[in-house]
Amino acid sequence: MHQIKICILLLLSSIFTLQAQQPKKLNASEIYEAVQKLNVLGSVLYIAAHPDDENTRLISYMSNHVKARTAYLSLTRGDGGQNLIGPEIRELLGVIRTQELLAARRVDGGEQRFTRANDFGYSKHPDETLEIWNKDDVLADVVWAIREFKPDIIINRFDHRRAGQTHGHHTSSAMLSMEAFDLANDATKYSSQLELTELWQPKRLFYNTSWWRYGSQDAFDKIDKTNMVSFDVGVYYPTKGMSNNELASIASSQHLCQGFGRVTTRGSQQEYIEFLKGDPLTNDKNIFEGIDTSWNRIEDGQAIANIMTAIESDFNFVNPASHLPQLLEAYKLLQNVKNKHWKVIKTKELKTIIEACAGLYLEVSSNTPHATPNAKIDLKMELLNRSDSNINLISYNLSTLQKGIAKNMVLSTNQRVNFNEGISIPNDMAYTAPYWLNNQSSLGMYAVEYQDLVGLPETPRAVFVDFNLNIEGTPIIITKPVIYRYSKPDKGELYRPFEIIPEVSVRISDKVFIFDNDQQKEIEVTVKAGRDAIEGFIKMAYPDDWSVYPQKQMIAIANKGDIQKVVFTIVPPKNKSEGLITPMVNLNGYFYTDELIEIDYAHIPFQTVLMPSESKVVRLDIKTNGTNIGYIEGAGDVVPESLRQIGYDVTVIRPEQISPENLVNFDAIVVGIRAYNIVDALKFKQKFLLDYVNEGGNLIIQYNTSRGIKVDNLSPFNLKLSRDRVTDENALVRMLDPNHPILNYPNKITIQDFEGWVQERGLYFPNEWSEEFTPLLAFNDKGESSKEGSLLVAKYGKGNYIYTGLSFFREFPAGVSGAYRLFANLLSAGKEPKMQLKN
């Protein structure tokens, strides 16, 4: 039974591409382009490792110029990167980047797929990557993607021959693609997949090369290109009013959390792909050579071709509805073809064209953006036939009901029809959440229970309506998801997805609580009602050597969406200890322990994520000196909140507030990660920060990338940033100057303080610096030279300038006690009694 439900949902998931944004309404030019695309039965799969790896120029070219069905297979969801627009990292960042990929595909016309690989962070060699990922599982997913999508052509973004010369994830994506090219047609490999799909052999495999692979344009110009195919991807699309590379720029700009917003480009531009495997080309311009991409590709396709090519040749831009009789005839013929793969794909495309030509508007809107299992909600259905075609609504079927609701009514021209329907959400309906986060993941892999879901960009929506229509005598089912449509006076009409949420969710005020002594702390817990009339109690789960009181507290919330805050007192042990605390809300004997996280950015649909509500509690031995800290924000991090945890009074300083008068009273000023890459105002404010140091201040600058630095003088002395990083979070640490005050005051820093670090030691270390700097730490990844630029300290005037590439922004949310102790020392620089920093 589950398999049947999943198969239905999988089909629907490809339909619901605009789950939370205003539904796409095709104009005449877009309908014509859809007809052109319908008449091409060829497919291209582009493969790389991360969101933003994809070449949107080539994807757009294949989709909009060649008209091939084109998809991007990103092996990961980009969970291990940084976030330039907010505080979300790891799993939540993966959710954002998934949606940014879907937004990009809506622009460039491609589709989006994934594997279960977890982006664990930068990797320097594919051997490490494939060990952490579990090579066989990710290879199985690439094979699954090929068998499901059935590409004629595969294009790798990266070179499989460059192991150890670039990001290990990049090379691994190409290596896995090379293997999967052959395995997808081998019945002895991953044979369990064949219960749900079929074998497939792609025709050719290419590598999307460029001058950057060879170091310079001059070097690339000199290489032998006889094994390459080139395209001018700067073609202009009159029906769109823009060129292909303009479209590609807009698509790429959807990756805002990675700082990919950019201006559009135009004009001729060459892309190259190198032939790697499959049937060799004799015509170096046609990558589909030997593949029939017309309707003749499938049995009984010629009759459909006769209809559709005639429509394409003589398309009526003034009245697309005039083509409905021919489109409906093609639709009926298509339902009888034997090729299930192309039948499903082209039926979906043809339905979209028919719906657009008929001017049909079909919408199902809930009176609420979310509901709980067993809840009753009201749906408003709006139907409108904006053509002169004879269209009847026979019935509609709600996914929550066993039987359809008969209507048998005419949809008269331009006469709006509205229905109201009250429904109950089934008790067993799953909560709306990213499916890959439903089970505990490993460092390298997400755990997905059902094969059907593997690779899907999103969890299929479970509440939808099938409209059973009769259009000019032809029965057609058009499916629409339930959405929530509303308006705001300052924004106009808005859309959100309709979602199923728990009856109650619970959130702790912070993800980490640091105890620097054995004194108790009060911790606030927020309970939010997913329905009316919540009554129950809340208690805490906590480590054995900690204490919590009271043992439980009563919860009573009258209205859905309201919250109740309670306070628990946490008593730490006398000695060092760490563990997890989890709030547990009991309703009628069932415990709820998840936090409901909402992600709301304008460029992607509204997202709801359920995550275990738990916080780390750490009793550590830490001392601090100075209390008043200024923080200049860069890319999103939680460093200010983390510093408050250990007793600092942290003030966030906006760029316009950076002035000598505002800086003088701070004990230290910390600059957030990548601030010098993204905060334009620092170009004009840097002099005040350096003057602050010169007059006795303590300035701590966290990592920046070498590209796009906004200032000419990042440091008062020579300091050159590089791409040096140490990705092994357990790499051996060497103290270069064990007696240096920063390693001794107010906390004695030892090797033990570097235990339990997550993802990496640090990144983008300087690799050149003047003699005024003292390097304090050294470490390296296996087989590499020592990296000594992770923590540099220099005396400047009366104060201290500190630059660090250590990944404090990752360690603080993970509650790594040694990271807190070391950062407290950085904040205390220059305050040590009878100790002086070295010149």
Side-chain angles (χ1 to χ4, degrees):
M1 183 65 180
H2 166 79
Q3 295 295 334
I4 295 174
K5 289 181 179 179
I6 286 291
C7 288
I8 294 172
L9 292 177
L10 291 179
L11 176 59
L12 294 171
S13 70
S14 64
I15 298 171
F16 302 161
T17 56
L18 295 176
Q19 293 178 345
Q21 296 182 343
Q22 186 172 359
K24 178 75 171 176
K25 304 177 185 73
L26 301 183
N27 58 40
S29 293
E30 290 167 327
I31 297 172
Y32 174 67
E33 290 175 337
V35 170
Q36 289 181 305
K37 199 172 184 71
L38 184 79
N39 285 332
V40 177
L41 282 71
S43 53
V44 177
L45 182 63
Y46 197 89
I47 298 180
H50 310 107
D52 85 1
D53 283 346
E54 82 273 28
N55 184 343
T56 53
R57 294 183 302 272
L58 197 50
I59 291 174
S60 180
Y61 180 86
M62 291 296 169
S63 178
N64 296 291
H65 182 73
V66 179
K67 305 296 182 185
R69 181 179 180 232
T70 307
Y72 173 43
L73 173 61
S74 177
L75 269 57
T76 76
R77 296 176 186 264
D79 330 69
Q82 289 85 51
N83 183 0
L84 295 186
I85 61 174
E88 298 89 355
I89 59 174
R90 291 302 308 152
E91 294 89 351
L92 298 181
L93 179 58
V95 172
I96 292 173
R97 291 189 171 182
T98 293
Q99 290 300 320
E100 288 183 338
L101 278 171
L102 289 171
R105 300 294 80 78
R106 287 193 286 270
V107 174
D108 62 32
E111 301 176 28
Q112 186 61 52
R113 293 180 179 250
F114 295 94
T115 73
R116 291 169 292 167
N118 191 344
D119 179 2
F120 56 85
Y122 192 86
S123 175
K124 294 182 176 178
H125 200 281
D127 288 350
E128 177 198 39
T129 299
L130 296 174
E131 180 179 354
I132 294 175
W133 274 353
N134 187 335
K135 176 185 175 182
D136 193 63
D137 286 347
V138 184
L139 180 58
D141 289 357
V142 179
V143 169
W144 169 256
I146 294 172
R147 287 172 174 173
E148 278 286 276
F149 188 75
K150 295 179 172 49
D152 300 307
I153 305 298
I154 295 177
I155 302 175
N156 292 342
R157 178 54 166 157
F158 299 107
D159 192 342
H160 64 286
R161 299 158 293 197
R162 300 197 71 202
Q165 301 178 57
T166 184
H167 197 323
H169 295 184
H170 292 171
T171 309
S172 295
S173 70
M175 293 168 62
L176 293 170
S177 176
M178 290 287 288
E179 288 192 56
F181 182 88
D182 299 316
L183 298 182
N185 199 36
D186 187 341
T188 67
K189 304 299 182 182
Y190 311 114
S191 56
S192 63
Q193 295 180 2
L194 300 178
E195 298 174 10
L196 301 171
T197 190
E198 305 83 32
L199 296 175
W200 183 254
Q201 180 58 62
K203 192 75 167 179
R204 296 182 182 92
L205 175 63
F206 296 90
Y207 157 50
N208 183 196
T209 188
S210 179
W211 66 263
W212 48 260
R213 163 64 178 83
Y214 297 88
S216 70
Q217 185 64 53
D218 287 343
F220 184 64
D221 290 341
K222 295 174 183 176
I223 68 168
D224 181 6
K225 298 184 180 63
T226 56
N227 205 35
M228 296 183 185
V229 181
S230 66
F231 312 97
D232 182 355
V233 296
V235 293
Y236 177 67
Y237 303 127
T239 54
K240 296 180 182 295
M242 65 176 69
S243 62
N244 184 75
N245 33 21
E246 286 176 290
L247 271 181
S249 297
I250 297 170
S252 182
S253 287
Q254 304 309 305
H255 297 297
L256 294 184
C257 75
Q258 301 185 72
F260 266 50
R262 61 190 61 189
V263 297
T264 57
T265 60
R266 287 151 291 278
S268 180
Q269 186 170 0
Q270 291 294 315
E271 283 288 341
Y272 293 84
I273 57 174
E274 176 188 354
F275 174 77
L276 297 178
K277 185 181 285 191
D279 292 355
L281 289 172
T282 58
N283 178 347
D284 64 358
K285 293 296 183 185
N286 181 17
I287 62 173
F288 286 95
E289 179 185 304
I291 305 168
D292 191 342
T293 60
S294 72
W295 281 103
N296 288 327
R297 179 170 191 160
I298 61 175
E299 186 179 349
D300 300 323
Q302 184 57 52
I304 301 172
N306 292 339
I307 296 171
M308 295 309 305
T309 53
I311 293 174
E312 181 180 347
S313 298
D314 194 24
F315 186 76
N316 189 338
F317 286 88
V318 175
N319 182 23
S322 65
H323 297 299
L324 274 175
Q326 293 77 29
L327 291 169
L328 293 167
E329 182 61 28
Y331 175 82
K332 287 185 286 187
L333 292 171
L334 183 56
Q335 303 318 297
N336 295 320
V337 303
K338 297 177 181 178
N339 187 309
K340 293 181 180 179
H341 174 70
W342 285 112
K343 176 182 175 181
V344 169
I345 294 168
K346 294 304 177 182
T347 293
K348 173 192 168 186
E349 293 179 11
L350 192 47
K351 277 186 179 182
T352 299
I353 294 170
I354 291 170
E355 182 181 356
C357 285
L360 268 173
Y361 186 85
L362 305 172
E363 180 182 272
V364 187
S365 180
S366 169
N367 65 326
T368 177
H370 45 70
T372 62
N374 283 326
K376 291 180 170 57
I377 63 170
D378 294 323
L379 300 180
K380 180 181 179 180
M381 303 184 201
E382 181 178 342
L383 297 86
L384 182 61
N385 168 21
R386 291 174 286 193
S387 72
D388 293 328
S389 303
N390 181 18
I391 302 178
N392 296 319
L393 172 65
I394 306 304
S395 64
Y396 58 82
N397 293 68
L398 284 154
S399 60
T400 58
L401 300 178
Q402 295 294 324
K403 295 182 179 179
I405 299 173
K407 285 296 178 182
N408 295 312
M409 63 180 300
V410 175
L411 298 182
S412 301
T413 301
N414 214 31
Q415 297 299 307
R416 186 176 61 182
V417 175
N418 290 111
F419 300 119
N420 292 315
E421 186 73 52
I423 67 169
S424 295
I425 303 300
N427 182 54
D428 60 350
M429 182 162 282
Y431 303 136
T432 304
Y435 69 87
W436 63 94
L437 299 180
N438 286 340
N439 300 304
Q440 182 65 43
S441 63
S442 67
L443 174 63
M445 296 294 295
Y446 284 115
V448 179
E449 186 174 1
Y450 301 110
Q451 180 67 49
D452 318 59
L453 293 174
V454 172
L456 294 182
E458 300 176 285
T459 305
R461 297 285 164 173
V463 186
F464 53 89
V465 175
D466 288 332
F467 290 100
N468 301 305
L469 303 170
N470 187 294
I471 304 177
E472 297 289 353
T474 302
I476 290 182
I477 298 175
I478 296 178
T479 303
K480 296 293 179 181
V482 173
I483 51 88
Y484 175 61
R485 180 164 64 102
Y486 63 110
S487 66
K488 287 187 176 181
D490 59 336
K491 294 184 179 180
E493 185 177 63
L494 299 169
Y495 285 78
R496 276 182 55 173
F498 173 74
E499 300 181 319
I500 308 301
I501 64 172
E503 292 182 297
V504 67
S505 58
V506 59
R507 179 178 63 85
I508 309 181
S509 55
D510 292 286
K511 290 302 180 185
V512 177
F513 293 94
I514 304 295
F515 294 77
D516 57 358
N517 54 44
D518 60 1
Q519 298 301 302
Q520 66 189 32
K521 284 187 178 183
E522 291 187 340
I523 291 179
E524 185 178 80
V525 179
T526 301
V527 181
K528 186 173 184 179
R531 61 166 172 82
D532 293 339
I534 293 292
E535 291 188 0
F537 67 85
I538 180 172
K539 60 185 294 188
M540 298 287 286
Y542 52 91
D544 291 339
D545 55 343
W546 295 65
S547 298
V548 174
Y549 64 87
Q551 286 299 307
K552 69 177 182 179
Q553 301 188 58
M554 302 309 295
I555 296 295
I557 307 176
N559 299 313
K560 172 183 176 179
D562 285 352
I563 63 172
Q564 180 177 338
K565 294 185 177 182
V566 298
V567 175
F568 286 94
T569 299
I570 310 294
V571 183
K574 297 288 185 182
N575 300 315
K576 289 196 297 183
S577 174
E578 61 182 55
L580 296 174
I581 57 172
T582 299
M584 306 168 64
V585 179
N586 186 289
L587 301 182
N588 300 317
Y590 182 83
F591 281 104
Y592 294 82
T593 60
D594 283 342
E595 175 182 359
L596 187 69
I597 303 167
E598 296 179 338
I599 300 175
D600 188 9
Y601 291 103
H603 67 299
I604 59 174
F606 189 95
Q607 298 293 298
T608 295
V609 183
L610 283 172
M611 298 286 287
S613 182
E614 59 184 22
S615 294
K616 190 172 185 178
V617 288
V618 180
R619 166 71 170 96
L620 57 77
D621 177 18
I622 186 172
K623 301 179 180 65
T624 62
N625 191 322
T627 59
N628 195 18
I629 308 300
Y631 196 88
I632 300 170
E633 293 182 322
D637 62 48
V638 294
V639 172
E641 297 90 329
S642 300
L643 296 181
R644 293 182 185 114
Q645 281 284 338
I646 53 177
Y648 288 104
D649 182 8
V650 182
T651 301
V652 174
I653 305 171
R654 296 193 301 273
E656 62 271 20
Q657 295 174 321
I658 301 174
S659 67
E661 297 78 16
N662 290 336
L663 302 181
V664 66
N665 293 320
F666 289 110
D667 295 312
I669 293 173
V670 182
V671 182
I673 60 174
R674 298 182 69 172
Y676 289 96
N677 297 125
I678 67 171
V679 182
D680 292 328
L682 286 178
K683 181 175 183 179
F684 311 104
K685 299 292 186 176
Q686 178 72 345
K687 61 181 179 180
F688 299 132
L689 293 174
L690 295 182
D691 287 346
Y692 162 80
V693 179
N694 192 45
E695 293 300 317
N698 185 16
L699 179 66
I700 302 164
I701 296 178
Q702 298 177 85
Y703 95 92
N704 292 268
T705 63
S706 57
R707 289 181 292 185
I709 290 286
K710 303 291 185 181
V711 297
D712 297 325
N713 55 334
L714 180 64
S715 160
F717 310 113
N718 181 50
L719 184 71
K720 182 179 180 181
L721 302 184
S722 74
R723 298 186 66 82
D724 286 353
R725 61 198 304 162
V726 175
T727 62
D728 182 359
E729 62 270 33
N730 299 309
L732 178 66
V733 179
R734 296 177 295 282
M735 307 284 188
L736 297 176
D737 189 353
N739 296 320
H740 195 283
I742 279 184
L743 298 179
N744 291 275
Y745 181 83
N747 304 288
K748 175 65 176 178
I749 303 301
T750 69
I751 298 301
Q752 284 68 43
D753 287 300
F754 293 91
E755 293 177 356
W757 283 49
V758 297
Q759 187 158 331
E760 59 198 347
R761 289 297 191 195
L763 62 171
Y764 299 110
F765 303 154
N767 63 354
E768 293 182 18
W769 52 86
S770 65
E771 61 182 10
E772 286 85 358
F773 282 104
T774 299
L776 299 183
L777 303 173
F779 24 58
N780 58 272
D781 285 320
K782 183 179 179 180
E784 292 194 354
S785 61
S786 177
K787 303 296 185 291
E788 301 181 355
S790 66
L791 181 55
L792 301 172
V793 185
K795 193 74 175 177
Y796 178 58
K798 300 176 185 178
N800 301 286
Y801 176 97
I802 299 172
Y803 188 93
T804 179
L806 294 170
S807 58
F808 290 106
F809 73 102
R810 295 197 190 282
E811 312 315 318
F812 286 169
V816 178
S817 58
Y820 282 90
R821 285 165 45 84
L822 177 56
F823 209 90
N825 284 18
L826 300 184
L827 296 172
S828 304
K831 299 177 176 62
E832 58 279 351
K834 298 180 182 179
M835 301 176 73
Q836 294 296 324
L837 290 177
K838 295 183 178 181
N839 290 327

